[in-house]
């Protein structure tokens, strides 16, 4: 059953950036703060060769993978540029009392 | 190991036994077993804020450099055509050749990474043009280059190992004139035109991308066919001097610089400081090569655009072997090692790290030694 998890403080993520969140069950996620100050969440590993996206570059609504520069739209998870061609899984987010919660 | 006596008396013995660099052979399977494939590579520590600043994208530098590049291509080709067939046209063809047959190597590479421009379509346009010039199918090479970054100089995994062990000296020398690479490029293009991929390419290009490979090859084939037909109709090689032949007569610069990227260094290691080389270059060559002389830095952080590599170099050089001062000084260390490899010695260079550096990664390559 999906449930809400407290992942980080909103202020932990700079605007137009992301951080990595490792859940105790072993899964890893990427949490983004968009230029419009919205929070988004995807799987933490690139679908191409499973590299952590947290070292990548956020530009607008896109995350570029640090390994081979594959690009995804982090709002929808859609793969936008080879060698990434499988979409990322996305998760709901909400902010409560300055904390970012993700539904996983 | 088997040795072959060269028919030229003073050459002595050459090694016959080479490792199997094919992606379809045993070495690739062994690399996977040893944990060398898709391994966790060494990275120099750089703060997130510094890295974000270095990774930042802009169109500014690539627009400027591309405008200069296109203007120089047009001017040199224009002067070459105007003065044709006089010998006075030769210097212009020499310049055009390097701009076409060598600058395209770095433009293909950087725009393939998508880092040269901030605007994606600009990367794509320059990538397509440069791929045509350097005769590298854009789809195949995007995927082969991804593998090169995942498994840099891992034997049996990396499809872009230019200097194998022992080195194929004849191939490198012929490639100064583009000969071996272009012949192979045409062979592959003919395979692609028929709707197929080479079996090695099938190991790294996903099936969903195959149609792009074939589509591009057919367009290129039509362009070359039209160029040859025009040359026959004109009774002159002039059209081929503009399209196609510069890949041969202008290739020397990208071979001169490209060989230095990894030659004579370690293979089967997971620390780019051991298998890649940074060397200094004059400003004209850096323009042609788009700063790929900062090759350790590029492999460690492929997100950093070419124009930010000198700044990255300054930031992390305390953790890297010192850069060779010039192409010449780099070759002074490379050539003796390649000659020994040619004679069967299994040697390679391990450069000294500065005292400020973290040690080389020891795991997976304990046997490292010069
Ligand atoms: S691992 Fe992300 S693009 Fe290759």
């Amino acid at each position: 059953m999906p449930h809400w998890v407290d992942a980080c403080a909103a202020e932990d993520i700079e605007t137009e950036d992301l951080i990595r969140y490792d859940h105790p069950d072993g899964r890893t996620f990427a949490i983004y703060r968009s230029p419009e100050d919205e929070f988004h969440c995807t799987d933490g590993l690139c679908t191409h060769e499973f590299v952590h996206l947290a070292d990548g570059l956020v530009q607008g609504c896109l995350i570029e993978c640090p390994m081979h520069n594959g690009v995804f739209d982090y709002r929808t998870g859609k793969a936008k540029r080879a060698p990434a061609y499988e979409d990322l899984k996305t998760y709901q987010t909400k902010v409560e009392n300055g904390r970012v919660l993700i539904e996983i | 190991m088997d040795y072959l006596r060269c028919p030229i008396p003073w050459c002595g013995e050459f090694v016959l036994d080479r490792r199997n660099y094919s992606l379809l052979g045993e070495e690739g399977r062994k690399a996977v077993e040893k944990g060398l494939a898709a391994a966790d590579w060494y990275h120099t520590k750089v703060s997130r804020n510094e890295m974000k600043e270095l990774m930042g994208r802009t169109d500014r530098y690539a627009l400027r450099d591309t405008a200069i590049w296109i203007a120089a291509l047009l001017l040199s080709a224009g002067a070459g055509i105007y003065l044709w067939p006089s010998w006075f046209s030769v210097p212009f063809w020499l310049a055009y050749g390097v701009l076409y047959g060598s600058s395209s190597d770095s433009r293909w590479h950087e725009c393939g990474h998508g880092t040269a421009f901030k605007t994606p379509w600009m990367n794509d346009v320059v990538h397509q043009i440069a791929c045509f010039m350097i005769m590298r199918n854009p789809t195949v090479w995007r995927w082969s280059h991804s593998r090169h970054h995942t498994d840099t100089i891992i034997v049996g995994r990396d499809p872009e190992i230019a200097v194998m062990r022992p080195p194929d000296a004849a191939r490198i020398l012929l490639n100064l004139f583009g000969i071996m690479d272009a012949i192979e490029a045409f062979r592959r293009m003919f395979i692609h035109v028929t709707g197929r991929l080479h079996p090695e390419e099938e190991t790294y290009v996903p099936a969903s991308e195959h149609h792009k490979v074939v589509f591009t090859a057919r367009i290129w084939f039509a362009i070359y066919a039209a160029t040859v037909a025009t040359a026959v109709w004109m009774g002159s090689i002039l059209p081929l001097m503009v399209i196609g032949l510069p890949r041969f007569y202008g290739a020397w610069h990208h071979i001169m610089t490209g060989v230095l990227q990894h030659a004579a260094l370690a293979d089967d290691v997971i620390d780019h400081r051991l298998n890649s080389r940074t060397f200094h270059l004059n400003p004209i060559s850096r323009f042609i090569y788009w700063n790929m002389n900062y090759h350790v830095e590029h492999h460690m952080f492929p997100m950093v655009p070419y124009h930010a590599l000198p700044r990255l170099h300054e930031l992390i050089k305390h953790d890297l072997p010192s850069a060779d001062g010039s192409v010449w000084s780099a070759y002074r260390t490379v050539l003796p090692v390649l000659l020994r490899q040619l004679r069967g010695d299994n040697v390679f260079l391990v450069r000294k790290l500065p005292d400020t550096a973290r040690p080389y990664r020891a795991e997976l390559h304990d046997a490292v030694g010069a």
Side-chain angles (χ1 to χ4, degrees):
Chain A
M1 253 320 255
H3 58 286
W4 289 97
V5 172
D6 183 337
C8 60
E11 66 186 22
D12 290 346
I13 316 176
E14 290 184 15
T15 306
E16 205 169 18
D17 201 8
L18 81 163
I19 61 163
R20 168 178 168 177
Y21 167 66
D22 293 330
H23 190 269
D25 72 3
R27 286 183 290 168
T28 182
F29 301 90
I31 306 177
Y32 310 80
R33 186 171 188 165
S34 74
E36 295 77 32
D37 217 19
E38 289 164 355
F39 291 84
H40 298 268
C41 178
T42 69
D43 273 339
L45 301 178
C46 177
T47 56
H48 176 226
E49 285 184 0
F50 311 109
V51 166
H52 281 286
L53 291 167
D55 293 326
L57 177 68
V58 175
Q59 294 184 93
C61 58
L62 302 175
I63 170 69
E64 187 172 323
C65 173
M67 186 69 187
H68 308 112
N69 314 79
V71 173
F72 302 89
D73 184 328
Y74 58 76
R75 300 167 305 177
T76 60
K78 209 123 204 72
K80 303 292 259 189
R81 182 174 188 281
Y85 65 102
E86 272 176 45
D87 297 347
L88 279 172
K89 197 162 167 1
T90 57
Y91 303 87
Q92 293 293 324
T93 62
K94 63 183 177 186
V95 181
E96 279 179 7
N97 303 323
R99 306 287 305 173
V100 181
L101 283 78
I102 59 176
E103 190 182 30
I104 58 175
Chain B
M1 198 172 271
D2 299 324
Y3 290 88
L4 174 73
R5 179 158 285 283
C6 177
I8 304 169
W10 58 85
C11 276
E13 284 180 330
F14 282 79
V15 71
L16 186 62
D17 187 19
R18 63 164 62 231
R19 292 184 69 182
N20 183 356
Y21 284 80
S22 163
L23 305 193
L24 306 171
E26 267 296 282
E27 295 276 3
R29 196 186 52 74
K30 282 192 205 150
V32 173
E33 271 174 18
K34 281 196 238 165
L36 286 166
D40 186 15
W41 287 69
Y42 175 82
H43 288 93
T44 299
K45 286 198 175 92
V46 178
S47 76
R48 174 79 185 152
N49 277 343
E50 282 171 318
M51 189 42 65
K52 264 167 58 177
E53 202 265 314
L54 287 162
M55 290 190 297
R57 300 295 152 77
T58 170
D59 290 332
R60 190 168 139 214
Y61 301 107
L63 272 178
R64 176 200 66 193
D65 290 347
T66 304
I68 296 171
W69 182 49
I70 291 173
L73 278 165
L74 293 175
L75 281 174
S76 53
I81 293 168
Y82 181 72
L83 294 169
W84 181 263
S86 144
W87 283 101
F88 289 114
S89 68
V90 170
F92 297 100
W93 291 121
L94 291 178
Y96 179 71
V98 170
L99 292 163
Y100 183 117
S102 283
S103 297
S104 54
D105 175 49
S106 52
R107 271 69 183 167
W108 152 78
H109 173 263
E110 193 68 10
C111 294
H113 276 284
T115 48
F117 297 90
K118 181 182 171 78
T119 308
W121 69 261
M122 293 184 188
N123 280 315
D124 292 341
V125 168
V126 176
H127 183 239
Q128 290 291 335
I129 294 169
C131 279
F132 174 77
M133 290 171 160
I134 196 78
M135 298 182 181
R136 292 177 184 162
N137 187 292
T139 308
V140 171
W141 278 78
R142 177 163 289 174
W143 287 91
S144 80
H145 199 62
S146 295
R147 177 70 76 81
H148 173 61
H149 272 269
T150 304
D151 295 328
T152 311
I153 319 296
I154 303 291
V155 177
R157 295 284 303 170
D158 183 350
E160 294 185 7
I161 302 181
V163 185
M164 299 177 182
R165 224 186 290 170
D168 188 340
R171 182 183 179 87
I172 297 168
L173 291 174
L174 288 169
N175 268 337
L176 284 169
F177 306 99
I179 293 169
M180 301 304 286
D181 281 352
I183 288 172
E184 182 61 16
F186 275 109
R187 199 172 74 84
R188 298 275 171 122
M189 186 176 73
F190 289 129
I191 295 174
H192 300 156
V193 164
T194 64
R196 294 172 297 134
L197 268 72
H198 187 278
E200 285 204 352
E201 292 165 349
E202 285 178 345
T203 67
Y204 54 81
V205 182
S208 61
E209 301 278 292
H210 288 190
H211 69 282
K212 293 184 193 165
V213 177
V214 173
F215 180 70
T216 307
R218 287 176 180 165
I219 292 175
W220 288 11
F221 182 77
I223 296 172
Y224 287 120
T227 309
V228 170
T230 309
V232 171
W233 175 71
M234 288 173 64
S236 162
I237 63 159
L238 184 57
L240 290 160
M241 288 297 285
V242 180
I243 295 173
L245 285 181
R247 172 66 180 85
F248 295 82
Y249 66 77
W252 64 270
H253 191 282
H254 94 256
I255 297 297
M256 175 188 79
T257 48
V259 160
L260 290 177
Q261 292 179 353
H262 306 285
L265 298 172
D267 56 24
D268 290 352
V269 294
I270 55 170
D271 186 334
H272 292 115
R273 299 174 301 172
L274 282 165
N275 70 9
S276 306
R277 174 179 288 100
T278 288
F279 56 99
H280 292 295
L281 262 183
N282 68 71
I284 294 173
S285 285
R286 269 177 52 191
F287 172 80
I288 294 165
Y289 198 32
W290 261 9
N291 286 341
M292 272 308 119
N293 50 308
Y294 296 105
H295 216 63
V296 182
E297 293 83 347
H298 167 66
H299 268 279
M300 236 187 234
F301 300 106
M303 298 279 288
V304 175
Y306 75 95
H307 51 78
L309 286 174
R311 276 188 287 139
L312 175 60
H313 172 72
E314 287 304 315
L315 189 67
I316 67 172
K317 68 181 181 190
H318 65 276
D319 199 35
L320 310 182
S322 63
D324 290 289
S326 64
V327 168
W328 171 238
S329 70
Y331 272 107
R332 273 213 316 241
T333 60
V334 167
L335 286 176
V337 177
L338 295 188
L339 285 172
R340 284 183 64 187
Q341 288 178 356
L342 211 51
R343 288 174 185 281
D345 287 350
N346 193 18
V347 291
F348 53 92
L349 285 169
V350 179
R351 281 127 350 126
K352 198 170 157 352
L353 286 170
D355 294 340
T356 46
R358 283 195 284 164
Y360 286 127
R361 286 191 67 162
E363 68 267 36
L364 297 173
H365 44 82
D366 289 333
V368 163

